Amino acid sequence: MIRIVTFHIENKLDPFDETALLETLTAEIRFLVGKNVIEVGKNPEFIYQLLNNKSFKTKDKTFLVKVKIIYIQSTTEIWLSAHEQDS
């Protein structure tokens, strides 16, 4: 079972912006918690498609996210880059 999903943002963001973005991403992917690792691992593309090249809005900023690596296990880890978009 997937127990937790963690994100690793490769590029440096302001700590407040990073926290807000991580909260947004966690809410977006929350449905994975409790799913079978093997079943999710059979089709990881859906996670990639859900997050890659998508814009995620926090309270006051919008970030474009690009997925780099997805590692599916009980603690699923997703590495990505995030860049602020012009408003």
Side-chain angles (χ1 to χ4, degrees):
M1 286 233 175
I2 295 176
R3 299 192 193 298
I4 189 169
V5 178
T6 60
F7 293 93
H8 305 279
I9 300 175
E10 291 183 341
N11 52 304
K12 291 285 186 190
L13 297 177
D14 173 86
F16 294 109
D17 290 340
E18 183 171 332
T19 299
L21 179 59
L22 289 173
E23 288 174 358
T24 301
L25 291 170
T26 300
E28 185 73 20
I29 207 87
R30 183 177 302 136
F31 70 92
L32 282 178
V33 175
K35 301 287 186 202
N36 183 293
V37 171
I38 294 169
E39 292 300 315
V40 174
K42 287 179 181 177
N43 190 16
E45 296 85 22
F46 83 93
I47 299 171
Y48 181 82
Q49 292 173 354
L50 179 67
L51 299 174
N52 193 52
N53 285 324
K54 299 284 171 63
S55 296
F56 291 92
K57 186 163 178 53
T58 62
K59 280 186 180 179
D60 55 354
K61 295 183 180 177
T62 302
F63 292 90
L64 178 65
V65 168
K66 294 189 185 251
V67 175
K68 303 296 183 179
I69 299 170
I70 300 171
Y71 189 58
I72 299 171
Q73 58 184 2
S74 62
T75 298
T76 294
E77 297 180 85
I78 302 171
W79 282 264
L80 50 86
S81 64
H83 299 282
E84 186 177 348
Q85 293 184 303
D86 294 329
S87 299

Coordinates of all heavy atoms in Angstrom, one line a residue:
M1 N 0.8 -1.2 0.0 CA 0.0 0.0 0.0 C 0.9 1.2 0.0 O 1.9 1.3 0.7 CB -0.9 0.0 1.3 CG -2.0 -0.9 1.3 SD -3.5 0.0 1.6 CE -4.6 -1.3 1.4
I2 N 0.4 2.2 -0.7 CA 1.1 3.5 -0.7 C 0.6 4.2 0.6 O -0.6 4.4 0.8 CB 0.7 4.4 -1.9 CG1 1.3 3.7 -3.2 CG2 1.2 5.8 -1.8 CD1 0.9 4.3 -4.5
R3 N 1.6 4.6 1.4 CA 1.2 5.2 2.7 C 1.4 6.7 2.7 O 0.7 7.5 3.4 CB 2.1 4.6 3.8 CG 1.9 3.2 4.0 CD 2.5 2.6 5.3 NE 2.6 1.2 5.4 CZ 1.6 0.4 5.4 NH1 0.4 0.8 5.3 NH2 1.8 -0.9 5.5
I4 N 2.3 7.2 1.9 CA 2.6 8.6 1.8 C 3.2 8.9 0.4 O 3.8 8.1 -0.2 CB 3.6 9.1 2.9 CG1 3.7 10.6 3.0 CG2 4.9 8.4 2.8 CD1 4.4 11.1 4.2
V5 N 2.9 10.2 -0.1 CA 3.5 10.6 -1.3 C 4.3 11.9 -0.9 O 3.8 12.8 -0.3 CB 2.5 11.0 -2.4 CG1 3.1 11.5 -3.6 CG2 1.6 9.8 -2.7
T6 N 5.6 11.9 -1.3 CA 6.4 13.0 -1.0 C 6.9 13.6 -2.4 O 7.1 12.9 -3.3 CB 7.7 12.7 -0.2 OG1 8.4 11.7 -0.8 CG2 7.2 12.2 1.2
F7 N 7.2 14.9 -2.4 CA 7.6 15.6 -3.5 C 9.0 16.2 -3.2 O 9.3 16.6 -2.1 CB 6.7 16.8 -3.9 CG 5.4 16.3 -4.4 CD1 4.3 16.1 -3.5 CD2 5.2 16.0 -5.7 CE1 3.1 15.7 -3.9 CE2 3.9 15.5 -6.2 CZ 2.9 15.4 -5.3
H8 N 9.9 16.2 -4.2 CA 11.2 16.8 -4.2 C 11.3 17.8 -5.3 O 11.2 17.4 -6.5 CB 12.3 15.8 -4.3 CG 12.2 14.7 -3.3 ND1 12.6 14.8 -2.0 CD2 11.7 13.4 -3.5 CE1 12.4 13.6 -1.4 NE2 11.8 12.8 -2.3
I9 N 11.4 19.1 -4.9 CA 11.5 20.1 -6.0 C 13.0 20.4 -6.2 O 13.7 20.8 -5.3 CB 10.7 21.4 -5.5 CG1 9.3 21.1 -5.3 CG2 10.9 22.5 -6.6 CD1 8.4 22.2 -4.8
E10 N 13.4 20.2 -7.4 CA 14.8 20.2 -7.7 C 15.4 21.6 -7.7 O 16.6 21.8 -7.3 CB 15.1 19.6 -9.1 CG 14.9 18.1 -9.1 CD 15.2 17.5 -10.5 OE1 15.3 18.2 -11.5 OE2 15.4 16.3 -10.5
N11 N 14.6 22.6 -8.1 CA 15.1 24.0 -8.1 C 14.7 24.7 -6.9 O 13.7 24.4 -6.2 CB 14.7 24.7 -9.4 CG 13.2 24.6 -9.6 OD1 12.6 23.6 -9.6 ND2 12.5 25.8 -9.7
K12 N 15.5 25.7 -6.5 CA 15.2 26.5 -5.3 C 14.0 27.4 -5.5 O 13.9 28.1 -6.5 CB 16.4 27.3 -4.9 CG 17.6 26.5 -4.4 CD 17.3 26.0 -3.0 CE 18.5 25.3 -2.5 NZ 18.3 24.6 -1.3
L13 N 13.1 27.4 -4.5 CA 12.0 28.3 -4.5 C 12.0 29.0 -3.2 O 12.6 28.5 -2.2 CB 10.6 27.6 -4.6 CG 10.4 26.8 -5.9 CD1 9.0 26.1 -5.8 CD2 10.4 27.7 -7.1
D14 N 11.4 30.1 -3.1 CA 11.2 30.8 -1.8 C 10.5 29.8 -0.9 O 9.6 29.1 -1.3 CB 10.3 32.0 -2.0 CG 9.9 32.7 -0.7 OD1 10.6 33.5 -0.2 OD2 8.8 32.3 -0.2
P15 N 10.9 29.7 0.4 CA 10.4 28.7 1.3 C 8.9 28.7 1.4 O 8.2 27.7 1.5 CB 11.1 29.0 2.6 CG 12.3 29.6 2.3 CD 12.1 30.4 1.0
F16 N 8.3 29.9 1.4 CA 6.8 30.1 1.6 C 6.1 29.6 0.3 O 5.1 28.9 0.4 CB 6.5 31.5 1.9 CG 6.9 32.0 3.2 CD1 7.9 32.9 3.3 CD2 6.3 31.5 4.4 CE1 8.4 33.4 4.5 CE2 6.8 32.0 5.6 CZ 7.8 32.9 5.7
D17 N 6.7 29.9 -0.9 CA 6.2 29.5 -2.1 C 6.3 27.9 -2.2 O 5.3 27.3 -2.7 CB 6.9 30.1 -3.3 CG 6.6 31.6 -3.5 OD1 5.6 32.0 -2.9 OD2 7.4 32.3 -4.1
E18 N 7.4 27.4 -1.8 CA 7.6 25.9 -1.9 C 6.6 25.2 -1.0 O 6.0 24.2 -1.4 CB 9.0 25.6 -1.4 CG 9.3 24.1 -1.6 CD 10.7 23.7 -1.4 OE1 11.6 24.5 -1.6 OE2 11.0 22.6 -0.9
T19 N 6.4 25.7 0.2 CA 5.4 25.1 1.1 C 4.0 25.2 0.5 O 3.2 24.2 0.5 CB 5.4 25.8 2.5 OG1 6.7 25.7 3.1 CG2 4.3 25.2 3.4
A20 N 3.6 26.3 0.0 CA 2.3 26.4 -0.7 C 2.1 25.5 -1.8 O 1.1 24.8 -2.0 CB 2.0 27.9 -1.1
L21 N 3.2 25.4 -2.7 CA 3.1 24.5 -3.8 C 3.0 23.0 -3.4 O 2.2 22.3 -3.9 CB 4.3 24.7 -4.8 CG 4.4 23.8 -6.0 CD1 3.1 24.0 -6.9 CD2 5.6 24.1 -6.8
L22 N 3.8 22.7 -2.4 CA 3.8 21.3 -1.9 C 2.4 20.9 -1.4 O 1.9 19.8 -1.6 CB 4.8 21.1 -0.8 CG 6.3 21.0 -1.4 CD1 7.2 21.0 -0.2 CD2 6.5 19.9 -2.3
E23 N 1.7 21.9 -0.7 CA 0.4 21.6 -0.2 C -0.6 21.4 -1.4 O -1.5 20.5 -1.3 CB -0.1 22.8 0.7 CG 0.6 22.9 2.0 CD 0.2 24.1 2.8 OE1 -0.6 25.0 2.3 OE2 0.7 24.2 3.9
T24 N -0.5 22.2 -2.4 CA -1.3 22.1 -3.6 C -1.1 20.7 -4.3 O -2.0 20.0 -4.6 CB -1.1 23.2 -4.6 OG1 -1.3 24.5 -3.9 CG2 -1.9 23.1 -5.8
L25 N 0.2 20.4 -4.5 CA 0.5 19.1 -5.1 C 0.0 17.9 -4.3 O -0.5 16.9 -4.9 CB 2.0 19.0 -5.4 CG 2.6 20.0 -6.4 CD1 4.1 19.9 -6.4 CD2 2.1 19.6 -7.8
T26 N 0.2 18.0 -3.0 CA -0.3 16.9 -2.1 C -1.8 16.7 -2.2 O -2.3 15.6 -2.3 CB 0.2 17.2 -0.7 OG1 1.6 17.3 -0.6 CG2 -0.3 16.1 0.3
A27 N -2.5 17.8 -2.3 CA -4.0 17.7 -2.4 C -4.3 17.1 -3.7 O -5.3 16.3 -3.8 CB -4.6 19.1 -2.2
E28 N -3.6 17.4 -4.8 CA -3.9 16.9 -6.1 C -3.7 15.4 -6.2 O -4.4 14.7 -6.9 CB -3.0 17.6 -7.1 CG -3.2 17.2 -8.6 CD -4.5 17.9 -9.1 OE1 -5.0 18.8 -8.6 OE2 -5.0 17.3 -10.1
I29 N -2.7 14.8 -5.5 CA -2.3 13.4 -5.6 C -2.8 12.6 -4.4 O -2.5 11.4 -4.3 CB -0.8 13.4 -5.8 CG1 -0.4 12.1 -6.6 CG2 0.0 13.5 -4.6 CD1 -0.5 12.3 -8.1
R30 N -3.5 13.2 -3.5 CA -4.0 12.5 -2.3 C -4.6 11.2 -2.5 O -4.5 10.3 -1.7 CB -4.9 13.4 -1.5 CG -5.4 12.9 -0.2 CD -6.2 13.9 0.6 NE -5.5 15.1 0.8 CZ -6.0 16.3 0.6 NH1 -7.2 16.5 0.3 NH2 -5.3 17.4 0.9
F31 N -5.3 11.0 -3.6 CA -6.1 9.8 -3.9 C -5.2 8.6 -4.0 O -5.6 7.4 -3.9 CB -6.8 9.9 -5.2 CG -6.0 10.0 -6.5 CD1 -5.7 8.8 -7.1 CD2 -5.4 11.2 -6.9 CE1 -4.9 8.8 -8.3 CE2 -4.6 11.2 -8.0 CZ -4.3 10.0 -8.7
L32 N -3.8 8.7 -4.2 CA -2.9 7.6 -4.3 C -2.7 6.9 -2.9 O -2.4 5.7 -2.9 CB -1.6 8.0 -4.8 CG -1.4 8.3 -6.3 CD1 0.0 8.8 -6.6 CD2 -1.7 7.0 -7.1
V33 N -2.9 7.6 -1.9 CA -2.7 7.0 -0.5 C -3.7 5.9 -0.3 O -4.9 6.1 -0.5 CB -2.7 8.1 0.6 CG1 -2.6 7.5 2.0 CG2 -1.6 9.1 0.4
G34 N -3.2 4.7 0.1 CA -4.1 3.6 0.3 C -4.2 2.7 -0.9 O -4.7 1.6 -0.8
K35 N -3.6 3.1 -2.1 CA -3.7 2.3 -3.3 C -2.6 1.2 -3.2 O -1.6 1.4 -2.6 CB -3.5 3.1 -4.5 CG -4.5 4.2 -4.7 CD -5.9 3.6 -5.1 CE -6.8 4.7 -5.5 NZ -8.2 4.3 -5.4
N36 N -2.8 0.1 -3.9 CA -1.8 -1.0 -4.0 C -0.6 -0.5 -4.8 O -0.7 -0.1 -6.0 CB -2.5 -2.2 -4.6 CG -1.6 -3.4 -4.7 OD1 -0.6 -3.4 -5.4 ND2 -2.0 -4.4 -4.0
V37 N 0.6 -0.7 -4.3 CA 1.8 -0.3 -4.9 C 2.0 -1.0 -6.3 O 2.4 -0.4 -7.3 CB 3.0 -0.6 -4.0 CG1 4.4 -0.3 -4.7 CG2 3.0 0.3 -2.7
I38 N 1.7 -2.3 -6.3 CA 1.9 -3.0 -7.5 C 1.0 -2.6 -8.6 O 1.4 -2.4 -9.8 CB 1.7 -4.6 -7.2 CG1 2.9 -5.0 -6.3 CG2 1.7 -5.3 -8.6 CD1 2.7 -6.4 -5.8
E39 N -0.3 -2.3 -8.3 CA -1.3 -1.9 -9.2 C -0.9 -0.5 -9.8 O -1.0 -0.2 -11.0 CB -2.7 -1.8 -8.6 CG -3.2 -3.2 -8.3 CD -3.3 -4.1 -9.6 OE1 -3.8 -3.6 -10.7 OE2 -2.9 -5.3 -9.5
V40 N -0.5 0.4 -8.9 CA -0.1 1.8 -9.4 C 1.2 1.7 -10.2 O 1.3 2.3 -11.2 CB 0.1 2.7 -8.2 CG1 0.7 4.1 -8.6 CG2 -1.2 2.9 -7.4
G41 N 2.1 0.8 -9.8 CA 3.3 0.6 -10.5 C 3.2 0.1 -11.9 O 4.0 0.3 -12.8
K42 N 2.1 -0.6 -12.2 CA 1.8 -1.1 -13.5 C 1.5 0.0 -14.6 O 1.7 -0.2 -15.7 CB 0.6 -2.1 -13.5 CG 0.9 -3.4 -12.8 CD -0.3 -4.3 -12.9 CE -0.1 -5.6 -12.2 NZ -1.3 -6.4 -12.1
N43 N 1.1 1.1 -14.1 CA 0.7 2.2 -15.0 C 1.1 3.6 -14.4 O 0.2 4.4 -14.1 CB -0.8 2.2 -15.3 CG -1.2 3.1 -16.4 OD1 -0.4 3.6 -17.2 ND2 -2.5 3.3 -16.5
P44 N 2.4 3.8 -14.2 CA 2.8 5.1 -13.6 C 2.6 6.3 -14.5 O 2.7 7.4 -14.1 CB 4.3 4.9 -13.3 CG 4.7 3.9 -14.4 CD 3.5 3.0 -14.6
E45 N 2.3 6.1 -15.8 CA 2.1 7.2 -16.7 C 1.0 8.1 -16.3 O 1.1 9.3 -16.6 CB 1.8 6.6 -18.1 CG 3.0 5.9 -18.7 CD 2.9 4.4 -18.3 OE1 1.9 3.9 -18.0 OE2 4.0 3.8 -18.4
F46 N 0.0 7.6 -15.6 CA -1.1 8.4 -15.3 C -0.7 9.5 -14.2 O -1.2 10.6 -14.3 CB -2.4 7.6 -14.8 CG -2.3 7.2 -13.3 CD1 -2.9 8.0 -12.4 CD2 -1.7 6.0 -13.0 CE1 -2.9 7.6 -11.0 CE2 -1.7 5.6 -11.6 CZ -2.3 6.5 -10.7
I47 N 0.2 9.1 -13.4 CA 0.8 10.1 -12.4 C 1.5 11.2 -13.2 O 1.4 12.4 -13.0 CB 1.7 9.5 -11.4 CG1 0.9 8.5 -10.6 CG2 2.3 10.5 -10.4 CD1 1.8 7.6 -9.6
Y48 N 2.3 10.8 -14.1 CA 3.1 11.7 -15.0 C 2.2 12.6 -15.7 O 2.4 13.8 -15.7 CB 4.0 10.9 -15.9 CG 4.8 11.7 -16.8 CD1 6.0 12.2 -16.4 CD2 4.4 12.0 -18.1 CE1 6.9 12.9 -17.2 CE2 5.2 12.7 -19.0 CZ 6.4 13.2 -18.5 OH 7.2 14.0 -19.4
Q49 N 1.1 12.1 -16.3 CA 0.2 12.9 -17.1 C -0.6 13.8 -16.2 O -1.0 14.9 -16.7 CB -0.7 12.0 -17.9 CG 0.0 11.3 -19.0 CD -0.9 10.3 -19.7 OE1 -2.0 10.0 -19.3 NE2 -0.3 9.6 -20.8
L50 N -0.9 13.4 -15.0 CA -1.6 14.3 -14.1 C -0.9 15.5 -13.6 O -1.4 16.6 -13.5 CB -2.0 13.5 -12.8 CG -2.8 14.2 -11.7 CD1 -4.2 14.5 -12.3 CD2 -2.9 13.3 -10.5
L51 N 0.5 15.4 -13.5 CA 1.3 16.5 -13.0 C 2.2 17.2 -14.0 O 2.4 18.4 -13.9 CB 2.2 15.9 -11.9 CG 1.5 15.3 -10.7 CD1 2.6 14.7 -9.8 CD2 0.7 16.3 -10.0
N52 N 2.7 16.5 -15.0 CA 3.7 17.1 -15.9 C 3.1 18.2 -16.8 O 2.1 18.0 -17.4 CB 4.3 16.0 -16.8 CG 5.5 16.5 -17.5 OD1 6.5 17.0 -16.8 ND2 5.6 16.3 -18.8
N53 N 3.9 19.2 -16.9 CA 3.6 20.4 -17.8 C 2.2 21.0 -17.4 O 1.5 21.5 -18.3 CB 3.6 20.0 -19.3 CG 5.0 19.9 -19.8 OD1 5.9 20.6 -19.4 ND2 5.2 19.0 -20.7
K54 N 1.9 20.9 -16.1 CA 0.6 21.5 -15.7 C 0.9 22.7 -14.8 O 2.0 22.8 -14.1 CB -0.2 20.5 -14.9 CG -0.6 19.2 -15.6 CD -1.7 19.5 -16.6 CE -2.0 18.4 -17.5 NZ -2.5 17.2 -17.1
S55 N 0.0 23.6 -14.8 CA 0.1 24.8 -13.9 C -0.7 24.5 -12.6 O -1.9 24.0 -12.7 CB -0.5 26.0 -14.6 OG 0.3 26.3 -15.7
F56 N -0.1 24.9 -11.5 CA -0.7 24.7 -10.2 C -0.7 26.1 -9.5 O 0.3 26.7 -9.4 CB 0.0 23.7 -9.4 CG -0.2 22.3 -9.9 CD1 0.7 21.8 -10.8 CD2 -1.3 21.5 -9.6 CE1 0.6 20.5 -11.3 CE2 -1.4 20.2 -10.1 CZ -0.5 19.7 -11.0
K57 N -1.9 26.5 -9.1 CA -2.1 27.8 -8.4 C -2.1 27.6 -6.9 O -2.7 26.8 -6.4 CB -3.4 28.4 -8.9 CG -3.6 29.8 -8.4 CD -4.7 30.5 -9.2 CE -4.9 31.9 -8.7 NZ -3.8 32.7 -8.7
T58 N -1.2 28.5 -6.3 CA -1.2 28.6 -4.9 C -2.1 29.8 -4.5 O -2.7 30.4 -5.4 CB 0.2 28.7 -4.3 OG1 0.8 29.8 -4.8 CG2 1.0 27.4 -4.7
K59 N -2.0 30.3 -3.3 CA -2.8 31.5 -3.0 C -2.6 32.7 -3.9 O -3.5 33.3 -4.4 CB -2.4 32.0 -1.5 CG -3.1 31.2 -0.5 CD -2.8 31.8 0.9 CE -3.4 31.1 2.0 NZ -3.1 31.7 3.3
D60 N -1.3 33.0 -4.2 CA -1.0 34.2 -5.0 C -0.1 34.0 -6.2 O 0.2 35.0 -6.9 CB -0.4 35.3 -4.1 CG 0.8 34.8 -3.3 OD1 1.1 33.6 -3.4 OD2 1.4 35.7 -2.6
K61 N 0.3 32.8 -6.5 CA 1.2 32.5 -7.6 C 0.8 31.2 -8.3 O 0.1 30.4 -7.8 CB 2.6 32.4 -7.1 CG 3.2 33.6 -6.5 CD 4.6 33.5 -6.1 CE 5.1 34.8 -5.5 NZ 6.5 34.7 -5.0
T62 N 1.2 31.2 -9.6 CA 1.0 30.0 -10.4 C 2.4 29.4 -10.8 O 3.2 30.2 -11.2 CB 0.2 30.3 -11.6 OG1 -1.1 30.9 -11.2 CG2 -0.1 29.1 -12.5
F63 N 2.5 28.1 -10.7 CA 3.7 27.4 -11.0 C 3.5 26.4 -12.1 O 2.5 25.6 -12.1 CB 4.3 26.7 -9.8 CG 4.8 27.7 -8.7 CD1 3.9 28.1 -7.7 CD2 6.1 28.2 -8.7 CE1 4.3 29.0 -6.8 CE2 6.5 29.1 -7.7 CZ 5.6 29.5 -6.8
L64 N 4.5 26.3 -13.0 CA 4.5 25.3 -14.1 C 5.4 24.2 -13.5 O 6.5 24.4 -13.2 CB 5.0 25.8 -15.4 CG 5.1 24.8 -16.5 CD1 3.7 24.3 -16.9 CD2 5.8 25.3 -17.7
V65 N 4.8 22.9 -13.5 CA 5.5 21.8 -12.9 C 5.9 20.8 -14.0 O 5.1 20.6 -15.0 CB 4.6 21.1 -11.9 CG1 5.1 19.7 -11.5 CG2 4.3 22.0 -10.7
K66 N 7.1 20.3 -14.0 CA 7.6 19.3 -14.9 C 8.1 18.1 -14.0 O 9.0 18.3 -13.2 CB 8.8 19.9 -15.8 CG 8.2 20.9 -16.7 CD 9.3 21.3 -17.7 CE 8.8 22.5 -18.5 NZ 8.5 22.1 -19.8
V67 N 7.6 17.0 -14.3 CA 8.0 15.8 -13.6 C 9.3 15.2 -14.1 O 9.5 15.1 -15.3 CB 6.9 14.7 -13.7 CG1 7.3 13.4 -13.0 CG2 5.6 15.2 -13.1
K68 N 10.2 14.9 -13.2 CA 11.5 14.3 -13.6 C 11.5 12.8 -13.3 O 11.9 12.0 -14.2 CB 12.6 15.0 -12.8 CG 12.7 16.5 -13.0 CD 13.0 16.9 -14.4 CE 13.1 18.4 -14.5 NZ 13.4 18.8 -15.8
I69 N 11.2 12.4 -12.1 CA 11.3 11.0 -11.7 C 10.1 10.6 -10.8 O 9.7 11.5 -10.0 CB 12.6 10.7 -10.9 CG1 13.8 11.0 -11.8 CG2 12.6 9.2 -10.5 CD1 15.1 11.0 -11.0
I70 N 9.5 9.5 -11.0 CA 8.5 8.9 -10.1 C 9.0 7.6 -9.6 O 9.3 6.7 -10.4 CB 7.1 8.7 -10.9 CG1 6.7 10.1 -11.5 CG2 6.1 8.1 -9.9 CD1 5.5 9.9 -12.4
Y71 N 9.0 7.5 -8.3 CA 9.5 6.2 -7.7 C 8.3 5.7 -6.8 O 8.0 6.3 -5.8 CB 10.7 6.5 -6.8 CG 11.4 5.3 -6.3 CD1 11.9 4.3 -7.1 CD2 11.6 5.2 -4.9 CE1 12.5 3.2 -6.6 CE2 12.2 4.0 -4.4 CZ 12.7 3.0 -5.2 OH 13.3 1.9 -4.7
I72 N 7.7 4.6 -7.3 CA 6.5 4.1 -6.6 C 6.8 3.0 -5.6 O 7.4 2.0 -6.0 CB 5.5 3.6 -7.6 CG1 5.1 4.8 -8.6 CG2 4.2 3.0 -7.0 CD1 4.3 4.4 -9.8
Q73 N 6.5 3.2 -4.4 CA 6.7 2.3 -3.3 C 5.8 2.7 -2.2 O 5.0 3.6 -2.4 CB 8.2 2.3 -2.8 CG 8.7 3.6 -2.4 CD 10.2 3.7 -2.1 OE1 10.8 2.7 -2.2 NE2 10.6 4.8 -1.6
S74 N 5.9 2.1 -1.0 CA 5.0 2.5 0.1 C 5.1 4.0 0.4 O 4.2 4.7 0.7 CB 5.2 1.7 1.4 OG 6.5 1.9 1.9
T75 N 6.4 4.5 0.3 CA 6.6 6.0 0.4 C 6.9 6.4 -1.1 O 8.0 6.2 -1.5 CB 7.7 6.4 1.3 OG1 7.4 6.0 2.7 CG2 7.9 7.9 1.3
T76 N 5.9 6.8 -1.8 CA 6.1 7.2 -3.2 C 6.7 8.5 -3.3 O 6.3 9.5 -2.5 CB 4.7 7.2 -3.9 OG1 4.3 5.8 -4.0 CG2 4.8 7.7 -5.3
E77 N 7.7 8.7 -4.1 CA 8.5 9.9 -4.2 C 8.4 10.4 -5.7 O 8.5 9.6 -6.6 CB 9.9 9.7 -3.8 CG 10.1 9.3 -2.4 CD 11.5 9.1 -2.0 OE1 12.1 10.1 -1.6 OE2 12.0 7.9 -2.0
I78 N 8.2 11.7 -5.8 CA 8.1 12.3 -7.1 C 9.1 13.5 -7.1 O 9.0 14.4 -6.3 CB 6.7 12.8 -7.4 CG1 5.7 11.6 -7.3 CG2 6.6 13.5 -8.8 CD1 4.3 12.0 -7.4
W79 N 10.0 13.5 -8.1 CA 11.0 14.6 -8.2 C 10.4 15.5 -9.4 O 10.0 14.9 -10.4 CB 12.3 14.1 -8.6 CG 13.1 13.6 -7.4 CD1 14.0 14.2 -6.7 CD2 13.0 12.3 -6.8 NE1 14.5 13.4 -5.7 CE2 13.9 12.2 -5.7 CE3 12.3 11.1 -7.1 CZ2 14.1 11.1 -4.9 CZ3 12.4 10.0 -6.3 CH2 13.3 10.0 -5.2
L80 N 10.5 16.8 -9.2 CA 10.0 17.7 -10.2 C 10.7 19.0 -10.2 O 11.4 19.3 -9.2 CB 8.5 17.8 -10.1 CG 7.9 18.2 -8.7 CD1 8.0 19.7 -8.5 CD2 6.5 17.7 -8.6
S81 N 10.5 19.8 -11.2 CA 11.0 21.2 -11.2 C 9.7 22.0 -11.3 O 8.7 21.6 -11.8 CB 11.9 21.5 -12.4 OG 11.2 21.3 -13.6
A82 N 9.8 23.2 -10.7 CA 8.6 24.1 -10.7 C 9.2 25.5 -10.9 O 10.1 26.0 -10.3 CB 7.9 24.0 -9.3
H83 N 8.5 26.2 -11.8 CA 8.9 27.6 -12.2 C 7.6 28.5 -12.1 O 6.6 28.1 -12.7 CB 9.5 27.6 -13.6 CG 10.8 26.8 -13.6 ND1 12.0 27.2 -13.1 CD2 11.0 25.5 -14.1 CE1 12.9 26.3 -13.3 NE2 12.3 25.2 -13.9
E84 N 7.8 29.6 -11.5 CA 6.7 30.6 -11.4 C 6.4 31.1 -12.8 O 7.2 31.4 -13.6 CB 7.1 31.7 -10.5 CG 6.0 32.7 -10.2 CD 6.3 33.8 -9.3 OE1 7.4 33.7 -8.6 OE2 5.5 34.7 -9.2
Q85 N 5.0 31.2 -13.1 CA 4.6 31.7 -14.3 C 4.1 33.1 -14.1 O 3.7 33.5 -13.0 CB 3.4 30.9 -14.8 CG 3.7 29.5 -15.2 CD 2.5 28.8 -15.8 OE1 1.5 28.7 -15.2 NE2 2.6 28.3 -17.0
D86 N 4.3 33.9 -15.1 CA 3.8 35.3 -15.1 C 2.3 35.3 -14.9 O 1.6 34.5 -15.5 CB 4.2 36.1 -16.3 CG 5.7 36.2 -16.5 OD1 6.4 36.2 -15.4 OD2 6.2 36.2 -17.6
S87 N 1.8 36.2 -14.1 CA 0.4 36.4 -13.8 C -0.3 37.1 -14.9 O 0.2 37.9 -15.6 CB 0.2 37.1 -12.5 OG 0.7 36.3 -11.4

